[in-house]
Amino acid sequence: MADDSGVSISGPDSPGKAVLYVLVGLAIAGYGGFDYVQQTEAVRNSVEVDATIVERGIETDSGTSSNPGVEYEPTVAFEYTYDGTDYTGTKLYPADIARSYDSRSEAESVLEPYERGTRTTAYVSPDDPSDAFLKNETSSAPIVAVGLGALFALLGTASAVRQF
């Protein structure tokens, strides 16, 4: 597909690949939607527990040739007790899809309140107390996955329509 700007976007070059793009896109979008629903329920049903930060850091992902650029993901580990059982948690947000940032300073600012040894509040679902998180708010990462999956499926569908 080309426009007056000279930018050309081409999709898969065969009907089979186009169908694969659609299926992969729908799977990514579906997982993002599922993760969004799960994190919304986790925030709604969570209870507070005392936690202690035991580790924190930033992981760097340098991307791929098709998706260049560096992304920074804040990481944290914290210990807490719920209903007499000790646990270690590693999530900032309730989403399973980790949130990353374009700059190291953005990722560091997210970790600012979580110095090693700091006591803080964590949130747990009484149904699954082993899956705690520190920020009792939803992350936009699953919504991004839905959008990217939908875009991928749309590209596959447009390519398939052009070929038939």
Side-chain angles (χ1 to χ4, degrees):
M1 180 183 330
D3 60 16
D4 293 336
S5 69
V7 175
S8 175
I9 300 173
S10 59
D13 57 2
S14 72
K17 287 181 183 177
V19 170
L20 184 62
Y21 268 50
V22 171
L23 293 175
V24 168
L26 292 174
I28 292 169
Y31 181 72
F34 173 78
D35 195 27
Y36 184 78
V37 169
Q38 292 294 102
Q39 76 168 337
T40 302
E41 286 298 311
V43 167
R44 183 178 301 131
N45 299 324
S46 67
V47 296
E48 295 181 359
V49 295
D50 291 326
T52 302
I53 305 300
V54 294
E55 192 176 316
R56 66 178 232 161
I58 297 179
E59 291 183 3
T60 304
D61 181 7
S62 57
T64 63
S65 60
S66 63
N67 185 19
V70 178
E71 291 185 340
Y72 302 91
E73 181 184 329
T75 61
V76 66
F78 53 96
E79 296 175 341
Y80 61 99
T81 302
Y82 180 78
D83 206 19
T85 303
D86 294 335
Y87 298 95
T88 299
T90 58
K91 287 183 172 179
L92 280 168
Y93 295 94
D96 287 331
I97 300 172
R99 188 171 178 180
S100 59
Y101 298 86
D102 293 331
S103 74
R104 185 173 199 83
S105 62
E106 284 179 291
E108 287 172 348
S109 71
V110 171
L111 291 175
E112 204 169 282
Y114 306 113
E115 290 294 330
R116 189 175 186 166
T118 301
R119 294 196 47 84
T120 189
T121 300
Y123 301 89
V124 301
S125 168
D127 296 335
D128 187 9
S130 65
D131 194 26
F133 48 94
L134 295 176
K135 293 186 175 283
N136 198 26
E137 59 190 60
T138 58
S139 164
S140 62
I143 299 299
V144 171
V146 169
L148 289 175
L151 184 62
F152 209 69
L154 184 62
L155 181 64
T157 300
S159 179
V161 167
R162 267 196 324 241
Q163 293 175 27
F164 288 112

